[in-house]
Structures are given as structure tokens and as C-alpha cells.
Amino acid sequence: MVIREFVDEYNRKALEWLHQDYEHLGKQLRRRGVDIEPLTARVTGFRVAVPSWGVGTGGTRFARFAGPGEPRNVFEKLDDCDVINKMVRTTPGISLHIPWDEPESPAELKAYATARGLFIDSMNSNTFQDQPGQKLSYKFGSLAHTDSAVRAQAIEHNVRCLELGQQLGARSHTVWIGDGGNFPGQVHFRRALERYLESLRAIYAALPDGFRLFIEHKLYEPAFYSTVLNDWGTSYHCTRELGERALSLVDLGHHAPNVNIEMIVARLIQFGKLAGFHFNDSKYGDDDLDSGSIKPFQLFLIFNELVDAELEKTKGFDPAYMLDQSHNVTDPIESLMTSAVELVRAYVQAQLVDREALREAQERNDAIQALALLKQAFTADVAPILAMARQRAGGAVDPVAAFRASGYRARKAEERPAAARQGAGIV
Ligand code: RM4
Ligand code: MN
Ligand code: MN
């Protein structure tokens, strides 16, 4: 079955109500002085990259319960990403994790993606695990390890990712490390950060033309007492030390509970250092749950900052939007489609904020009115805009329903017998 044809056929049933709802919403928005068409056109340009590691079923440190028809290699991962994009039409970019996705032939992988209208967006290195046959262990760290030989090995891996990324046509490289300590006294904070920076300088020096280096902070885990790149302030310091093409990446799950993430985003925008995002949602820690599933208002407030900067044409503002989730109890394709839709929803809602009125309310110190303006945008049901934009781009009016009706998963369950790998872990 060709997904595109199936989607067209499946959409047919929903078109009548979609047009009615869209027209109705158009009238409502008109009353508020908003034109629906330019808004829908903006959605068409919205892009968020999908993580290759997100299409397999995730796990916790206790167990991993494999799902049916999981992709067994990077090509099968791209097949799943292809379905996601054909349904939602906003996710042609893919983030790869090396060595999990190491291709035998980069040219073949690139061609495989291109043939499906996909492209490799960002590379991610992995020095938080040991690989079979690896010479030195990362048990006590990688880029910030006390042993320079381990640091050299980790640097080399990152440089290899850059070379591969260049061959694959990627545009950025994201470095997240597991380095840190479990106990007070285990790690000398200042020396560890100095070693990290020294290693990053070597990676930065190998950045190919047109590439950006993203560094990703994380408060804790796998180290439970301290991490080397623990927060956005440290990240900001490091990216400044490194140079213009080094930027700070915000993974929504990598902060202490209740931290004002939208404010961190505003700060990084203001300082010209926002790399972009790993979107996900969480209740407690780095839960990697579906975007917008737990704190949709937070997601909206983040997009409020992003749209504000976009409309102001803030200098150097060019964030990379990526998902980084782990799907333990859902079909990963359904989770990723839903999450991509939630991001577009927050993006459109943020476009609805009456920014002039908000500014006036802020100048008058009118807190009630300022919040009301944000709430008015956040509570608007923009679903018909999202569905219309998807449908016009050839995607599904209702992606999850269409995916379920397509029988894709059942077919893959037959074609891809269950993997033997049942252990715990994030992937
Ligand atoms: C980390 C972090 C990284 C991701 C790994 C798999 O917690 O979010 O971005 O590459 O997990
Ligand atoms: Mn991440
Ligand atoms: Mn994470």
C-alpha cells in the first residue's frame, strides 16, 4: 500500500466537517482581528526533527517491554520516520545517534532518506555507554574523564560523528555526556569542567563548514549527585568559551522540577546562544514522555517566547526543533506523531497572542490582563488549522486514526520478528 494514497482516501470521510470547522474558526478569529489563512500557511513551514532512537520501544532501568514490529536497523527506522512524516507532514528531518545508527555506507543511507523526502538533520554522539570491543571504558566519564586517553577516545568518537554527519548532509552535532559523580567528593567540580571544555575545544576545532555544535546540559542521571554540564548557565559559559558556532541545547526534561524553562529559553535567545530543543514532557525528571502530555501550558509558554523572538526577527535566532522521547507503553509512531502535532499546536496558539495588547498590559503593570491575553491564546482550539495544514500538505486529518487504519504496524510485526534484545535501558 502506498501511504500517500491511503491517507487521501482515508481523509475523504473527514473533509466535510473539517471545512465546516475551519470556516467557523476563521470567522471567530476574524472577530479578533486575525486572518486564518496566513496562520495556516505558517504551519506549513513548521518543522521538527524526529529522533531515530524514538521509533523503537524504550525502557526504564527496570525493564524494556518490546513492541511489535520494532525497527531492527537504521533503514527500518527511516521507514517508520517516513510514515510519521507522511501523516503529519512536519517531520522530514531525522536525528541520528552514533553508533546506534552507524551505517555501512553513508551514501546509501543518505540516498535512502532522500528518496523518501527525508533528510538527516542532527548527529548525536554516545559516550555514555561502552560498545563491544571498545578499548577504554566510559564507566567514570568520557570527555571529562580524569584519564586523558579516555578523553582522547571520546573526542575521536565525536570527530567521527562530524565526518559522518558531513557525509550524510547533517547540519548540527549534539553532545550530551553522562559524566558526573554519584557521591560528594568523587569529582572535583572545577577540574572536571575544565577537562570537559578542553575536550570540546578539540571537537569544535573539527566542526565542518556550516555545522553547528550543540551542547546539552542535564541536572542528573546517570550520575546522581553531580553532572559536569549540569545547567543552562554552565552551558552558556561553555558555548561562549568555544565560539560562535557553539550553542546551548535545551532538553525539557533536563531541569529541576518547577524550574521556569520558558525563562531559560528567553535568556538564551537574548544572549544569542539558543541551539534549539529536545522536546518531551515530564512529571518528575527526565521522563521523556510525549510532548505536551503533562504540562501543555509550559509548552505554550516556551513557544510564546519563540514566536516573540521570531516576530521580532531577533538577530541570530534560528533554533533547531527536535523531539527526544522514550516510548515505553505506546506505539512509538503514534507518540511521535502526536508530539509533533502538539508542537504545532503550541506554535499556532503562540501566534494568537495579541502582542501589542500584552506589551501595553505589561507597561501598565496589569497582571490580570497580561495573563488573560496569554490564556486567551492558549485556550483557543486551533485543531482545524492544524488538520487543514496537514491535509493541504498531503498529510492525515487525523494522523493516529489513519495510522491505525493503515495496518502498518501489523504488517511490520510480520516482516520484523521480535528482536532478542529484552534488557533494560533507554533504547
Ligand atoms: C539523554 C539525553 C540525550 C539523548 C540520550 C539518549 O538523556 O537526552 O539527548 O541522546 O538521553
Ligand atoms: Mn536529549
Ligand atoms: Mn534526556
Side-chain angles (χ1 to χ4, degrees):
M1 176 209 53
V2 180
I3 289 281
R4 170 72 209 242
E5 283 162 16
F6 174 81
V7 167
D8 283 347
E9 181 59 38
Y10 193 79
N11 278 347
R12 219 158 278 164
K13 290 181 258 171
L15 284 186
E16 200 185 316
W17 70 255
L18 174 59
H19 283 284
Q20 281 175 22
D21 289 357
Y22 187 75
E23 207 179 302
H24 181 69
L25 180 59
K27 282 182 192 154
Q28 273 184 329
L29 291 176
R30 175 71 43 78
R31 274 201 299 277
R32 283 161 56 175
V34 178
D35 217 351
I36 197 168
E37 277 306 319
L39 213 50
T40 312
R42 266 170 187 264
V43 175
T44 312
F46 186 89
R47 293 285 176 267
V48 54
V50 162
S52 66
W53 59 100
V55 288
T57 305
T60 67
R61 62 204 166 96
F62 302 101
R64 192 183 89 88
F65 300 98
E70 286 186 68
R72 294 162 300 179
N73 55 52
V74 65
F75 293 98
E76 293 185 352
K77 289 180 190 176
L78 287 194
D79 289 342
D80 289 3
C81 294
D82 182 26
V83 175
I84 295 168
N85 187 45
K86 291 240 158 60
M87 294 286 177
V88 299
R89 296 285 167 177
T90 43
T91 59
I94 319 284
S95 299
L96 291 187
H97 229 302
I98 304 301
W100 297 336
D101 298 321
E102 179 96 48
E104 260 171 46
S105 157
E108 188 192 355
L109 183 62
K110 189 179 177 190
Y112 197 83
T114 310
R116 284 154 184 78
L118 305 172
F119 64 93
I120 308 307
D121 190 34
S122 192
M123 306 300 288
N124 293 259
S125 56
N126 179 345
T127 60
F128 47 85
Q129 277 180 334
D130 287 346
Q131 304 300 329
Q134 184 180 307
K135 212 167 131 214
L136 303 165
S137 173
Y138 294 135
K139 179 170 180 177
F140 293 106
S142 58
L143 292 175
H145 200 284
T146 47
D147 181 350
S148 64
V150 180
R151 298 201 297 277
Q153 178 182 282
I155 292 168
E156 201 185 301
H157 167 68
N158 277 277
V159 172
R160 164 89 190 108
C161 291
L162 290 173
E163 283 163 9
L164 202 55
Q166 200 176 18
Q167 289 163 0
L168 292 167
R171 304 178 295 196
S172 61
H173 176 53
T174 305
V175 181
W176 173 73
I177 54 165
D179 296 38
N182 271 14
F183 298 99
Q186 183 188 337
V187 172
H188 188 281
F189 296 151
R190 281 180 288 136
R191 281 202 287 271
L193 186 63
E194 208 30 71
R195 291 193 295 265
Y196 170 72
L197 254 175
E198 188 188 287
S199 297
L200 273 185
R201 283 193 188 102
I203 299 168
Y204 188 84
L207 265 191
D209 281 349
F211 248 72
R212 299 188 296 170
L213 180 66
F214 299 163
I215 60 170
E216 182 179 358
H217 59 274
K218 182 170 174 175
L219 176 69
Y220 77 97
E221 200 189 32
F224 287 114
Y225 168 66
S226 66
T227 56
V228 175
L229 197 70
N230 59 308
D231 64 9
W232 77 273
T234 313
S235 175
Y236 172 66
H237 168 78
C238 292
T239 53
R240 276 198 61 149
E241 288 285 308
L242 288 168
E244 239 178 49
R245 291 193 288 151
L247 299 157
S248 301
L249 183 120
V250 177
D251 182 314
L252 265 53
H254 289 192
H255 305 91
N258 301 329
V259 159
N260 188 336
I261 300 179
E262 56 272 24
M263 199 165 166
I264 294 174
V265 172
R267 293 284 188 261
L268 287 172
I269 291 172
Q270 188 162 8
F271 304 155
K273 280 296 187 187
L274 179 67
F277 294 87
H278 275 178
F279 284 109
N280 49 50
D281 213 338
S282 64
K283 180 77 179 161
Y284 302 107
D286 191 23
D287 307 345
D288 280 334
L289 298 175
D290 296 7
S291 298
S293 61
I294 308 284
K295 289 172 282 192
F297 191 47
Q298 174 183 267
L299 187 62
F300 164 80
L301 291 173
I302 290 170
F303 271 96
N304 179 46
E305 297 302 326
L306 295 169
V307 168
D308 195 63
E310 185 181 297
L311 294 175
E312 269 186 16
K313 301 200 167 33
T314 306
K315 199 173 149 264
F317 178 73
D318 183 19
Y321 297 152
M322 301 176 265
L323 293 168
D324 181 7
Q325 302 180 166
S326 179
H327 312 107
N328 305 336
V329 298
T330 57
D331 184 312
I333 291 183
E334 294 185 9
S335 272
L336 288 166
M337 290 191 306
T338 306
S339 300
V341 170
E342 287 311 303
L343 294 196
V344 190
R345 189 190 313 282
Y347 177 68
V348 175
Q349 287 171 327
Q351 304 273 347
L352 291 178
V353 173
D354 184 339
R355 288 184 193 276
E356 241 180 71
L358 181 60
R359 195 189 179 122
E360 280 167 22
Q362 287 166 343
E363 298 297 324
R364 284 196 316 272
N365 300 304
D366 187 344
I368 286 283
Q369 179 64 5
L371 175 62
L373 286 162
L374 291 185
K375 281 290 184 70
Q376 188 188 39
F378 173 64
T379 54
D381 181 5
V382 298
I385 296 178
L386 312 188
M388 185 60 90
R390 276 196 301 274
Q391 191 266 334
R392 285 184 187 168
V397 172
D398 183 339
V400 171
F403 172 72
R404 289 185 175 185
S406 75
Y408 179 85
R409 182 59 72 194
R411 273 196 309 285
K412 293 298 149 187
E414 270 177 32
E415 285 168 33
R416 307 168 177 170
R421 195 167 50 96
Q422 297 286 341
I426 46 165
V427 290

